Amino acid sequence: MKIKFLLGLFLLMSLLFSAQNNDQHAISKSFSSFLNQLKNRDIDKAVDNIYPKFFTVLPKDQMKMILNMTYNNPIMKVEIINYKVSQIGNIELVKGEYFSVVDYSTRIRCNAEGMQDEMRNSIKNMLIQKYGKGSVVYYPKEMAYYINAKTKACAISKDRKNWKYILVEKEMKQQLNKVLPKKILDKI
């Protein structure tokens, strides 16, 4: 009798663990697709993969404008060279929605060609303030900054199949209070 109970418990734990891994794999695949959309400058598709409640704090057209200014700016070309999803957090159900925190890193190139020295220094200071001194390197021959950024995102779904995302920026913590549950914000 004990053996059957332990075997049943083991099977149940295995199924739960397997389901969690499948969900995490689905999030990783979907999030990579989202980052590829940003990398390829497909702004409309990327915006379609942003969590809809986020647009209550930042309107959708304003978000499109910000992303276009970031990735399609002729003055300072920003390019995602590569990215890596490093960890998908446990999935938690909060008020009918599933949440998971995604840790990822990106290598970004910011072209500073054609800028005055004063502007280049301002950009460098801004990037260092945002990403940290050890994460920003300027290559004068290329006239470009390379950034190694470790960041977080939040994956959200109603059905554990279709995931939407919010890229978590330190500066946006106040706005995120209006969109994400406190239990999830505490993990970010």
Side-chain angles (χ1 to χ4, degrees):
M1 183 74 164
K2 270 187 178 180
I3 293 175
K4 285 183 181 180
F5 174 74
L6 289 175
L7 188 58
L9 184 61
F10 177 74
L11 271 166
L12 180 63
M13 299 274 291
S14 295
L15 286 172
L16 289 173
F17 184 71
S18 175
Q20 181 78 13
N21 279 343
N22 288 341
D23 286 339
Q24 289 173 331
H25 179 73
I27 291 170
S28 181
K29 187 176 176 183
S30 172
F31 186 66
S32 291
S33 176
F34 171 66
L35 289 176
N36 264 327
Q37 290 163 351
L38 290 175
K39 181 178 179 179
N40 296 328
R41 295 176 172 84
D42 195 346
I43 303 303
D44 289 333
K45 281 186 183 175
V47 169
D48 288 342
N49 284 303
I50 295 175
Y51 183 49
K53 284 185 186 176
F54 183 73
F55 300 126
T56 62
V57 295
L58 185 68
K60 195 175 200 174
D61 34 333
Q62 193 174 352
M63 184 62 172
K64 280 184 183 182
M65 184 181 75
I66 290 169
L67 290 174
N68 270 310
M69 284 174 39
T70 302
Y71 293 104
N72 295 317
N73 189 332
I75 296 170
M76 186 170 152
K77 294 178 181 153
V78 175
E79 170 187 7
I80 296 175
I81 296 172
N82 59 35
Y83 59 85
K84 181 183 178 193
V85 176
S86 45
Q87 183 176 357
I88 307 291
N90 289 332
I91 296 166
E92 297 189 44
L93 179 63
V94 181
K95 295 182 182 175
E97 291 183 304
Y98 297 94
F99 295 85
S100 179
V101 176
V102 179
D103 291 335
Y104 70 104
S105 58
T106 53
R107 178 142 170 92
I108 302 167
R109 182 181 188 276
C110 297
N111 184 347
E113 200 173 331
M115 288 185 191
Q116 301 288 332
D117 285 341
E118 186 179 317
M119 180 66 145
R120 249 193 303 272
N121 287 331
S122 294
I123 297 287
K124 181 180 181 181
N125 291 335
M126 180 192 73
L127 293 172
I128 288 172
Q129 184 178 0
K130 181 173 176 120
Y131 297 106
K133 188 171 183 157
S135 298
V136 178
V137 178
Y138 178 68
Y139 291 97
K141 285 184 180 180
E142 287 185 51
M143 294 189 127
Y145 295 98
Y146 283 83
I147 304 155
N148 293 313
K150 292 186 185 294
T151 42
K152 294 183 182 281
C154 188
I156 305 107
S157 176
K158 289 188 181 291
D159 59 7
R160 292 178 90 143
K161 292 177 185 157
N162 300 304
W163 293 91
K164 300 291 182 179
Y165 301 96
I166 295 177
L167 299 178
V168 178
E169 303 281 338
K170 293 177 208 169
E171 311 84 46
M172 299 196 70
K173 201 103 175 189
Q174 185 114 19
Q175 287 94 339
L176 294 178
N177 283 329
K178 300 171 185 170
V179 179
L180 297 173
K182 183 179 179 348
K183 181 179 183 180
I184 303 303
L185 277 171
D186 290 344
K187 295 179 183 210
I188 296 175

